[in-house]
Amino acid sequence: MELSGNAVIGSLRRVVATAQNGLEVVRFGGLESGATPSPFQVVVRTPMYRLRRYFPESDTAASGIPIVLVPPMMMSADVYDVTPETGAVGLLHSMGLDPWVVDFGSPDQEEGGWGRTLTDHIVALDEIIDRVHDYTGRAVHLSGYSQGGMFCYQAAAYRRSRGIASLVTFGSPVDTLAALPFGIPDAVAVRSADFLADHVFNRLAISGWMARAGFQFLDPVKSVRSRIDFLLQLHDREALLPREPQRRFLDTEGWVAWSGPAVAELLRQFIAHNRMMSGGFVINDRAVSLVEITCPVLAFVGEVDDIGQPLAVRGIRKAAPRAEVYEYSLRAGHFGLVVGSVAAQQTWPAVSEWVQWRDGQGDRPVGVAPMKTPDPHGEGETGVTIGNRITHTATTIAEVGTEVVGGLAGLAAGAVRGARELSGEAVRALPRLARLGQLQSHTRVSVGSLLAEQARKASHRDCFIYDDRVYTYEVVDTRIDSIVLGLIGCGIRPAMHVGVLMGTRPSAMAAVAAVSRLGGVSVMLSEGPDLAEAIRLGAVETIVADPERLDRAAATGLPVLVLGGGNLRELDVPPGAEVVDLERFDVSTVELPGWYVPNPGLARELAFVLFTGSGDTLEMKRITNHRWALSAFGTATAASLDRGDTMYCLAPLHHSSGLLVGLGGALAGGARIALSRELDPTRFREEIHRYGVTVVTYTWSMLRSILDSSSSHADDIHPIRLFLGSGMTPGLWRRTMERFEPARVLEFYASTEGDIVLANVSGAKVGSKGRPLPGSADVRLAAYDPVSGRLLEDDRGFVRECDPDEVGLLLGRRGHSAEAITGVMRGLFEPGDAWVPTENLFRRDTDGDFWLLDNKRSVTVTQHGPVYAQPVVDVLGNLPRVDLAVSYGVTVGHRHIAVAAVTLRENRAPTAAEITVAFDALPVGERPDLVHVVAEIPLGPSYRPITEVLRARGLPAPSVRSWYADPATGMYRRFTKAVSTKWTSGTGRTCPPAR
């Protein structure tokens, strides 16, 4: 077969051209296309950034609307000028805008670059916005690609949209855990990100070639295809030249290094904790949330973008509910959103039209539509539809001539996702339960030691948030050590009882931890009429108080140490008071004594003294270190607390919910602790978003003011997943779940003495106290007669254990903390056993869930039997018109009358028929004799309704808003003067029969 001469010459020319072009690529990194970059002027130059203004001599520089373009951290600023004809700056300039580009440079070429943090980038961008605004005199349109768009969101939130006309982002993920590349389960991503942030990128940075390799690895098929295409066309220079700048940018020139601290911060805040969505990310030691974005937002969504996946990008709709959020969806991958023919034809014209529309110069661009709230359970789970994914993948595979069986990866990912919730819970719960099981009476465990342990593990992590300021474990631990020196200098020694009279603030928690680190006992005090008696019962020797409570503390006559408020404030010290200002105490003069051992507390030793009740019912409760640790780890386990949580501690420290559940659970779980100056609905609304609050602690009726306020209803979207505390009535419980859906309520009951911890973990039975937590004491209900006040015995003389739904006294088996507890009972159910009694009566239903009835001392014993307060309160609290309810007994002549008092919502009283029907839920003998409306029910310091004032008033006066149980019909009727006269004379019957 003869070869044609032309064919031979053509083949030879092709070989020569391939060799020549290949040699040029090898020598210079690519083909010389002759393209020149667009002209720009560096307006500002700092060690952190260079601010470029493109086409500075043109008319648009004077009259165009300014738009600032921000590149990703790992990509060169030239991404916006890859080719003059189709690059972003050239196209935007030609459309009449004034483009500015932020150039962060490469950390490996900048002084101090390897030490850059994420905060450095945001603070720089904040400064840039001000500079451009000052230069142009106009509000700035801020735009960013990929992580550059995340910077834009963060900077806008940091400055609360000041000076920003709008935000425009391209493939910028917000809900990073909603759609991870390759379908990686979020539990795996969270643990991996945490590990890399703490153990890898605290030592290692990412070079430019590593960034390029990582980007190409995210779409390996496309990367291989582009290389094969390039090699097959290497002989045809003219065919390659139009795409050569783009190829060179992606293969070599477009990548810059990442500093290790910035990568670690990115992984920790926005992958592991997903705080772009929840809020509470930290910039310059300040808590920030995307909720604070109020300017318009346009997000470009790539339909086949596997890096900034649609579901993750659309997370901005939920994260910024106060902003107008729009989207522009186009068929493009991640890089194609900003570079290439699709970007030139769709992206940048749409950006120009958007800017002009927001500036009042045109209509809304075609293709720009309000963004809908994303459905995480929609097609494809990531927002990339099945059709788009199949079409895109099939096309890509066909072009390289390769068959890839991608379904196996999908099945594997699905299987992992199916088990991730169970495995995630097990990973968190098992170590905590194991640690609880290892606690012995001689184990060293305390508040101080647990906080020191967290500081050793991750000193750079956030510990407290207060007044928008974030404090790390390192800062807090140093503060505690300083307070310890001050306490020692003021004569505090181990085992001394130190009163803590402080509001809910970081200094209060630091004071408690410092007393613990010293080996002392914190006696938790609250303001009120019982302060003097609590000091006497708690054997307090010295009081630590904040400036706001200095007068109350000094009035006790005890030495007072003032803590909180910093060293710049002045104290108004009462004459003759023994007061030391710890904030100004020179700790450098204190020499540690030989007896000082940090965190010496053993599990069996007394750690805290709490108080319950008030007035005549005030009781002192001793809390050992073991008891505190049991609540701490039990709470962390039941609430699934981890480093990604932020716990908003509304409950005061002098209440068990604040000290044992709030502070203890957060420390045991590694969660951040957010504190507020006051319980204010407007402040609550702002701070839950700004701090990224996921868990809120409460006591009793604390959440009423939040639910009643219109300000708490302003945002339908919130980050809260759980309300955690004790004492919430069923009515308030349901209102809380309705208002803060899908958050749930986790109600605890913790005996202040002994090791009993009950928790309603599932929340299925509203009002129930749940079941014993793993690790807590073995629990029994001892049959109890509330009339005689005695335990009931069987034929052998042992105490009888209750049957289901029978009233009984709650007991816990004696544990490691019993050495500090009085009143241990022995030989109750078998010879030699030992039990710690509580003061509370319960019922246990057939499923094993416990229901609180009353304190054994406050049961009202009437003619028709005992009336228990809690079921009465629960029934009345479920009525929509009732706000607060209490039940108490009054004495009329020689009889005890069970009375229930209610306050109203919107001043609308329930009807007698509604009250009658509601009480059908209770046994006949346990219904109150009288129900009446009062103007106010007093609340204690922990928001617990108090009955003493109402009880002291005696039998309520007849009125149109009082009802009695008619013994003739079993119905509630209006309480009249005639009925009142019969009761007071002793001729009226109060037994309410069944209807």
Side-chain angles (χ1 to χ4, degrees):
M1 179 177 179
E2 296 185 2
L3 295 176
S4 165
N6 290 335
V8 172
I9 294 172
S11 297
L12 184 60
R13 286 175 177 172
R14 182 170 179 156
V15 170
V16 172
T18 299
Q20 289 177 335
N21 293 335
L23 181 62
E24 184 176 346
V25 171
V26 171
R27 291 183 62 192
F28 303 110
L31 302 176
E32 182 55 52
S33 63
T36 57
S38 301
F40 65 85
Q41 174 188 359
V42 177
V43 177
V44 181
R45 186 186 300 269
T46 73
M48 185 64 206
Y49 67 88
R50 286 171 289 278
L51 180 59
R52 303 177 182 179
R53 189 180 198 180
Y54 278 82
F55 308 99
E57 305 299 329
S58 65
D59 293 338
T60 58
S63 61
I65 304 171
I67 180 169
V68 176
L69 303 170
V70 185
M73 192 160 56
M74 75 294 191
M75 194 167 279
S76 163
D78 294 332
V79 68
Y80 295 115
D81 191 33
V82 175
T83 61
E85 298 81 13
T86 61
V89 293
L91 291 170
L92 293 176
H93 167 69
S94 68
M95 298 170 189
L97 302 188
D98 178 18
W100 301 62
V101 174
V102 179
D103 180 9
F104 290 117
S106 184
D108 55 350
Q109 299 173 12
E110 306 290 341
E111 183 178 353
W114 288 126
R116 288 179 177 177
T117 65
L118 198 67
T119 291
D120 292 333
H121 290 79
I122 306 306
V123 172
L125 194 52
D126 176 56
E127 178 183 312
I128 287 166
I129 295 168
D130 286 334
R131 288 184 180 273
V132 175
H133 182 272
D134 291 342
Y135 268 98
T136 63
R138 307 180 69 163
V140 175
H141 292 269
L142 190 60
S143 178
Y145 164 54
S146 191
Q147 192 190 357
M150 295 170 69
F151 286 160
C152 293
Y153 288 137
Q154 294 155 18
Y158 179 68
R159 57 188 289 121
R160 298 181 184 174
S161 299
R162 177 175 48 83
I164 301 176
S166 78
L167 293 172
V168 183
T169 63
F170 312 95
S172 300
V174 174
D175 191 356
T176 53
L177 296 181
L180 293 162
F182 306 124
I184 299 172
D186 54 3
V188 174
V190 167
R191 287 194 290 273
S192 300
D194 245 344
F195 176 83
L196 292 172
D198 288 343
H199 304 290
V200 177
F201 291 112
N202 59 341
R203 303 181 181 89
L204 176 70
I206 296 180
S207 62
W209 71 265
M210 293 168 67
R212 180 188 71 239
F215 183 85
Q216 293 172 345
F217 177 73
L218 290 173
D219 197 345
V221 176
K222 185 175 182 180
S223 299
V224 171
R225 183 200 68 188
S226 62
R227 291 181 181 275
I228 293 176
D229 283 349
F230 179 75
L231 292 175
L232 292 178
Q233 297 185 62
L234 196 56
H235 65 283
D236 190 350
R237 186 183 187 90
E238 297 304 317
L240 292 175
L241 285 180
R243 295 179 56 85
E244 182 60 8
Q246 181 175 330
R247 188 199 67 80
R248 290 183 65 165
F249 185 87
L250 283 176
D251 278 0
T252 55
E253 300 170 354
W255 304 96
V256 296
W258 291 16
S259 63
V263 177
E265 202 171 347
L266 170 74
L267 290 171
R268 187 179 300 117
Q269 292 210 62
F270 304 126
I271 304 297
H273 301 155
N274 201 19
R275 289 202 168 118
M276 288 272 282
M277 278 300 294
S278 67
F281 57 90
V282 182
I283 302 296
N284 219 14
D285 293 332
R286 201 182 97 192
V288 182
S289 169
L290 296 193
V291 168
E292 295 171 297
I293 296 177
T294 54
C295 61
V297 176
L298 173 61
F300 281 80
V301 181
E303 295 174 359
V304 289
D305 186 347
D306 270 326
I307 298 175
Q309 298 195 22
L311 190 59
V313 172
R314 291 186 174 114
I316 186 60
R317 172 64 183 83
K318 293 179 67 176
R322 302 175 191 173
E324 295 179 64
V325 182
Y326 297 82
E327 70 169 75
Y328 187 103
S329 181
L330 66 161
R331 187 176 179 77
H334 196 63
F335 194 64
L337 286 170
V338 293
V339 175
S341 58
V342 174
Q345 295 168 13
Q346 298 186 52
T347 301
W348 301 116
V351 170
S352 174
E353 293 173 12
W354 162 269
V355 170
Q356 293 172 13
W357 174 51
R358 300 311 312 187
D359 205 53
Q361 300 179 20
D363 297 327
R364 190 173 80 188
V366 176
V368 172
M371 184 181 288
K372 297 180 180 179
T373 302
D375 179 10
H377 306 293
E379 186 176 12
E381 292 189 11
T382 65
V384 179
T385 65
I386 298 297
N388 282 335
R389 189 178 296 279
I390 292 175
T391 302
H392 179 63
T393 305
T395 303
T396 304
I397 292 174
E399 288 176 346
V400 291
T402 307
E403 293 184 359
V404 177
V405 183
L408 294 177
L411 288 174
V416 175
R417 279 195 299 271
R420 67 187 174 193
E421 291 185 5
L422 178 61
S423 62
E425 293 299 322
V427 166
R428 284 190 292 266
L430 291 178
R432 295 168 185 165
L433 295 177
R435 187 167 180 178
L436 272 179
Q438 294 169 357
L439 284 180
Q440 302 297 320
S441 60
H442 58 273
T443 303
R444 288 179 64 171
V445 61
S446 64
V447 174
S449 64
L450 195 56
L451 200 147
E453 177 185 318
Q454 292 288 1
R456 285 193 303 270
K457 289 180 179 178
S459 61
H460 55 277
R461 288 189 178 272
D462 307 336
C463 181
F464 288 120
I465 307 178
Y466 183 66
D467 274 354
D468 296 348
R469 180 79 185 276
V470 180
Y471 301 86
T472 64
Y473 275 103
E474 181 179 23
V475 170
V476 172
D477 200 52
T478 301
R479 164 78 165 166
I480 291 169
D481 285 338
S482 178
I483 296 173
V484 167
L485 290 173
L487 294 176
I488 291 174
C490 293
I492 305 301
R493 296 178 62 88
M496 283 185 64
H497 286 218
V498 179
V500 179
L501 181 62
M502 305 180 75
T504 305
R505 58 195 301 166
S507 292
M509 292 189 174
V512 169
V515 173
S516 171
R517 184 160 295 181
L518 189 62
V521 177
S522 291
V523 181
M524 309 307 296
L525 305 173
S526 64
E527 293 183 279
D530 297 319
L531 177 60
E533 180 65 9
I535 289 173
R536 185 190 69 80
L537 291 174
V540 174
E541 300 172 63
T542 300
I543 297 177
V544 178
D546 52 25
E548 293 81 1
R549 293 160 181 80
L550 170 58
D551 288 344
R552 292 299 310 276
T556 65
L558 293 173
V560 179
L561 311 179
V562 182
L563 190 66
N567 59 5
L568 298 179
R569 83 281 187 271
E570 296 293 335
L571 296 179
D572 185 11
V573 180
E578 186 180 346
V579 176
V580 176
D581 188 352
L582 287 180
E583 298 293 352
R584 296 184 176 181
F585 191 87
D586 186 4
V587 297
S588 64
T589 63
V590 179
E591 184 174 339
L592 286 175
W595 53 258
Y596 176 67
V597 176
N599 306 312
L602 303 180
R604 65 174 178 266
E605 294 177 342
L606 184 63
F608 304 102
V609 174
L610 299 179
F611 297 92
T612 61
S614 59
D616 295 339
T617 62
L618 184 71
E619 292 186 71
M620 180 180 66
K621 301 297 182 181
R622 298 173 177 85
I623 306 296
T624 64
N625 284 309
H626 180 274
R627 175 66 185 79
W628 180 85
L630 171 65
S631 284
F633 288 101
T635 298
T637 302
S640 299
L641 296 175
D642 60 24
R643 290 175 171 180
D645 282 307
T646 299
M647 181 180 285
Y648 196 61
C649 290
L650 289 176
L653 275 181
H654 56 76
H655 189 275
S656 59
S657 286
L659 183 66
L660 279 64
V661 175
L663 176 61
L667 288 179
R672 297 193 302 185
I673 301 171
L675 303 173
S676 183
R677 282 189 174 273
E678 58 184 339
L679 180 61
D680 176 73
T682 301
R683 181 184 288 271
F684 176 87
R685 175 203 175 198
E686 295 299 324
E687 289 182 342
I688 62 169
H689 288 290
R690 188 176 303 138
Y691 300 165
V693 172
T694 56
V695 180
V696 177
T697 66
Y698 66 84
T699 58
W700 298 96
S701 61
M702 176 179 285
L703 295 178
R704 282 174 53 247
S705 61
I706 303 295
L707 296 173
D708 291 340
S709 171
S710 58
S711 64
S712 70
H713 294 256
D715 298 324
D716 292 331
I717 299 172
H718 60 83
I720 301 172
R721 68 173 181 85
L722 187 68
F723 288 88
L724 182 68
S726 63
M728 185 181 289
T729 61
L732 197 60
W733 187 326
R734 291 188 176 92
R735 288 180 61 197
T736 300
M737 291 195 296
E738 290 170 3
R739 166 61 191 91
F740 292 99
E741 188 182 4
R744 61 188 182 89
V745 174
L746 177 54
E747 173 79 4
F748 274 90
Y749 168 87
S751 63
T752 46
E753 290 190 347
D755 295 336
I756 300 174
V757 181
L758 307 178
N760 188 342
V761 177
S762 70
K765 296 180 180 179
V766 175
S768 168
K769 301 301 179 184
R771 305 176 187 181
L773 278 181
S776 66
D778 181 22
V779 172
R780 298 278 182 91
L781 275 186
Y784 183 82
D785 179 11
V787 177
S788 64
R790 297 177 59 86
L791 295 174
L792 302 180
E793 300 176 350
D794 60 19
D795 295 338
R796 299 186 300 160
F798 290 113
V799 173
R800 182 170 60 80
E801 187 173 358
C802 287
D803 294 326
D805 295 321
E806 184 181 2
V807 177
L809 182 68
L810 186 68
L811 308 173
R813 190 180 293 276
R814 177 184 180 276
H816 300 300
S817 60
E819 293 182 24
I821 295 176
T822 59
V824 176
M825 304 176 71
R826 301 180 182 275
L828 295 186
F829 302 105
E830 59 185 25
D833 63 358
W835 297 85
V836 179
T838 70
E839 298 293 311
N840 298 118
L841 302 178
F842 279 79
R843 281 193 177 103
R844 183 180 59 239
D845 64 23
T846 54
D847 296 326
D849 292 295
F850 287 79
W851 298 80
L852 177 64
L853 298 179
D854 209 335
N855 185 291
K856 68 179 184 181
R857 299 181 182 179
S858 58
V859 177
T860 304
V861 181
T862 69
Q863 287 182 333
H864 50 83
V867 175
Y868 306 103
Q870 194 61 49
V872 172
V873 170
D874 290 350
V875 165
L876 291 172
N878 277 324
L879 292 174
R881 301 181 185 182
V882 170
D883 183 18
L884 285 176
V886 292
S887 179
Y888 57 95
V890 297
T891 301
V892 179
H894 299 290
R895 294 181 302 170
H896 295 295
I897 305 294
V899 179
V902 299
T903 58
L904 304 178
R905 297 178 61 193
E906 302 176 355
N907 199 30
R908 298 174 57 203
T911 64
E914 290 173 334
I915 295 173
T916 300
V917 171
F919 277 118
D920 281 345
L922 295 185
V924 173
E926 297 179 15
R927 300 170 189 173
D929 300 305
L930 181 67
V931 178
H932 70 124
V933 174
V934 295
E936 180 185 13
I937 295 177
L939 299 178
S942 59
Y943 296 88
R944 181 174 188 170
I946 298 174
T947 60
E948 280 76 6
V949 174
L950 297 174
R951 182 182 293 110
R953 296 174 186 171
L955 185 67
S959 72
V960 294
R961 288 187 168 184
S962 58
W963 305 269
Y964 78 103
D966 183 358
T969 63
M971 300 179 67
Y972 281 86
R973 299 184 181 278
R974 179 181 167 185
F975 186 50
T976 63
K977 290 182 179 181
V979 175
S980 177
T981 301
K982 288 183 179 180
W983 283 11
T984 54
S985 65
T987 60
R989 189 160 58 94
T990 58
C991 179
R995 288 190 297 129

